[in-house]
Amino acid sequence: KYDDMAEIEDDRPFLARKLPLLKLSLFQARFLAEGIGSFIFVMTISLAESNCGKSAINGTTHTRNLAPIAIGFMLCVLVFSFGYISGGHFNPAVTLGVLLIRGIRIELAVAYWIAQCVGGLIGATYAVIANGTTKHIPAPQVYKNLAQYVVTAFVAEAIFTGILVTVVLHCACSSQKNNHFYGLAIGMCVLAAVYAVGGVSGGSFNPAVAFSLQLVKCVSGNCIPLMHLWLYFAAPAAGATGAAVLFKMTHPAPKETEEDKEKKAMLNAAQTLY
């Protein structure tokens, strides 16, 4: 009888018998999902901006105004793919907005920020390796890098990041969070925003995207976009803060009963066990 059981076990595939399954904690799974999603997202941005429409006209002219379509739909795909694991942020500004409405703990938010920046940096690096440094290396920057457009770029990034975070909070963190359209709403918001103000600020709305693309472009020999890196952190942070305040204003906290308090305490205790 035991010999028969051994034979059944031996019939399993080689990898199933020899390699143990790597089991991740919920915290590790969320961290990995944010890193992989940010990697894919930034890589798509860089490659789409460099190559989108390359052969559409004469094989040499790039039609970069098609790139936001690829960027928006890729974000849709990523949010639908990883949203159930990590929430599908892929953006430090979104994570900040969720943190400010107390939808995520500070230690998890910091982990998300690290994963997003590291994943984005790897994605931008791969895109440059794939394209080479002789081709156009996209990076968000103030219009013509002129000082008189800094305020305009700041306002554009802050407003449209605020709109993006508002869409995320209302679609994925409100009472309608179990809907089936949140990914499409978020992706289409980014697509529209890039078309609206991409010519003013580069249309980043994401500190991890700006940091990754500008740093890789600097390493490749052009550090001019890094002059205004602060803007691509400060403006999204301002927009995310405004979106969080608006969300809290339109979603007043209900009065908690003693039973709700007990459930909340038990949930907080359980969340400390990764």
Side-chain angles (χ1 to χ4, degrees):
K1 182 177 180 181
Y2 292 107
D3 291 338
D4 293 339
M5 293 178 64
E7 289 179 2
I8 293 174
E9 290 182 358
D10 289 339
D11 289 338
R12 293 179 301 170
F14 176 79
L15 290 178
R17 288 185 284 113
K18 298 298 182 181
L19 297 180
L21 179 64
L22 180 61
K23 294 183 178 180
L24 300 178
S25 67
L26 180 59
F27 182 90
Q28 292 169 333
R30 289 173 171 175
F31 182 87
L32 186 61
E34 285 294 308
I36 293 175
S38 298
F39 162 76
I40 297 172
F41 186 49
V42 175
M43 177 182 64
T44 300
I45 293 173
S46 184
L47 292 176
E49 286 284 348
S50 300
N51 299 314
C52 196
K54 180 177 179 181
S55 59
I57 300 176
N58 56 15
T60 59
T61 302
H62 292 200
T63 310
R64 296 191 186 94
N65 61 355
L66 297 177
I69 298 174
I71 295 168
F73 276 101
M74 179 54 75
L75 183 57
C76 289
V77 170
L78 293 173
V79 172
F80 279 126
S81 297
F82 296 111
Y84 76 101
I85 299 175
S86 67
H89 296 185
F90 318 123
N91 185 337
V94 171
T95 301
L96 176 61
V98 176
L99 175 66
L100 291 176
I101 67 166
R102 298 183 179 181
I104 190 175
R105 291 179 299 145
I106 182 64
E107 59 267 32
L108 187 58
V110 172
Y112 275 24
W113 290 330
I114 294 172
Q116 289 156 1
C117 289
V118 172
L121 193 57
I122 297 173
T125 302
Y126 170 77
V128 171
I129 293 173
N131 270 333
T133 58
T134 57
K135 290 186 177 181
H136 167 73
I137 300 176
Q141 61 186 40
V142 176
Y143 179 67
K144 294 185 178 179
N145 285 304
L146 296 177
Q148 58 262 43
Y149 294 108
V150 169
V151 174
T152 304
F154 186 97
V155 172
E157 286 288 312
I159 290 177
F160 280 90
T161 302
I163 294 172
L164 171 61
V165 177
T166 297
V167 170
V168 173
L169 296 181
H170 285 265
C171 287
C173 300
S174 67
S175 57
Q176 63 170 347
K177 62 183 179 181
N178 294 323
N179 62 73
H180 299 287
F181 57 78
Y182 64 97
L184 186 62
I186 295 168
M188 292 304 97
C189 179
V190 170
L191 189 157
V194 175
Y195 272 127
V197 295
V200 178
S201 63
S204 173
F205 324 117
N206 187 328
V209 169
F211 165 76
S212 302
L213 295 178
Q214 289 181 355
L215 183 60
V216 168
K217 187 164 186 171
C218 181
V219 172
S220 300
N222 184 356
C223 293
I224 294 177
L226 276 175
M227 292 170 52
H228 302 111
L229 179 62
W230 64 270
L231 184 152
Y232 294 95
F233 278 82
T241 302
V245 171
L246 176 63
F247 183 85
K248 295 295 286 185
M249 290 173 60
T250 55
H251 293 75
K255 294 183 179 180
E256 289 185 334
T257 63
E258 290 299 325
E259 184 180 354
D260 292 334
K261 291 180 180 179
E262 292 179 2
K263 288 182 179 180
K264 188 175 181 180
M266 292 176 61
L267 180 61
N268 290 334
Q271 286 180 340
T272 61
L273 302 175
Y274 295 123

